[in-house]
Amino acid sequence: MKFLIVLALIGAAAATPLTADQAALVQGAWSKVKTSEVEILAAVFSAYPDIQAKFPKFAGKELSAIKGSADFALHATRIVSFISEVISLAGNSATAPAIETLVTELANNHKNRGVTKDQFNEFRTALTNYVSSNAPWGDNVASAWNQALDNVYATIFSKL
Ligand code: HEM
C-alpha cells in the first residue's frame, strides 16, 4: 500500500504545468494550424488507418471518399476544437483544473469506445508531425509542445 502511495505521488509530481511563456509558444504554433481541421484529421487517418477503423461512419471507406463529407468535417472540428480549448487554458494555474476535467472526460469517453494507449500514441505522433511541418518550429516550441502532451497523456493514460 505504501508503495502504491509513493508511486501515486511520483505520478502526480511528474506533471509539469506549462509556464505562461511555454503556453504562448504552443498557442502560437497551434494558431497556424487550428483552422485546418479536415487536413489534420486526414493526416491522422492516413498515417494510422486503425484509428479510422474505430469510427462506424468511416470504417472500411477510402479516405479520399470521406474527406470531403459533412460527417468528416464535423468530427474534425470536434477534435480540433477540443485541442484549441485545452491549449487556450494552458499556462495558468487557475485554469489547470478545467484542463484536468476536460481531459478526464475525453479519456473516459474513449475508454468506453475501446480506444487503446497505442492509438493515443499514434494520434500524438501524427498530430505532432502535422503541427511541426505546418507551423514555425524550433527546439523551444518542440519542448513546450512535448511537455504539454506529456501532461495531458499522463491524465489520459491514468484513466484508460
Ligand atoms: C486515438 C484514437 C482515437 C479514436 C480511435 C477515437 C475515436 C472516436 C470515436 C469512435 C468517437 C465517436 C464518433 C461519433 O460519435 O460518431 C469519438 C468522438 C470524439 N473524439 Fe475521439 N478518438 C481518438 C482520439 C481522440 C483525441 C486524441 C481527441 C482529442 C484531442 C478526440 C476527440 C474526440 C471528441 C471531441 C469526440 C466527440 C465527443 C465525444 O463523444 O467524446 N478523439 N472519438
Side-chain angles (χ1 to χ4, degrees), residues 76-134:
T77 302
R78 278 189 191 140
I79 295 179
V80 171
S81 303
F82 179 91
I83 299 171
S84 293
E85 190 171 11
V86 169
I87 287 179
S88 74
L89 293 167
N92 176 351
S93 60
T95 48
I99 296 182
E100 193 68 14
T101 301
L102 286 168
V103 173
T104 297
E105 193 183 345
L106 180 86
N108 289 334
N109 289 342
H110 286 71
K111 180 181 183 177
N112 293 339
R113 297 186 175 110
V115 180
T116 63
K117 290 182 183 178
D118 281 351
Q119 288 178 313
F120 270 101
N121 281 330
E122 289 172 350
F123 183 96
R124 176 177 180 158
T125 301
L127 181 69
T128 302
N129 284 342
Y130 187 91
V131 182
S132 62
S133 320
N134 288 282

Side-chain angles (χ1 to χ4, degrees), residues 44-46 48-63 66 72 119:
V44 172
F45 283 1
S46 164
Y48 298 108
D50 62 295
I51 296 182
Q52 181 180 326
K54 283 270 185 182
F55 289 83
K57 285 182 177 160
F58 306 138
K61 297 186 177 159
E62 285 295 328
L63 182 53
I66 56 173
F72 196 90
Q119 288 178 313

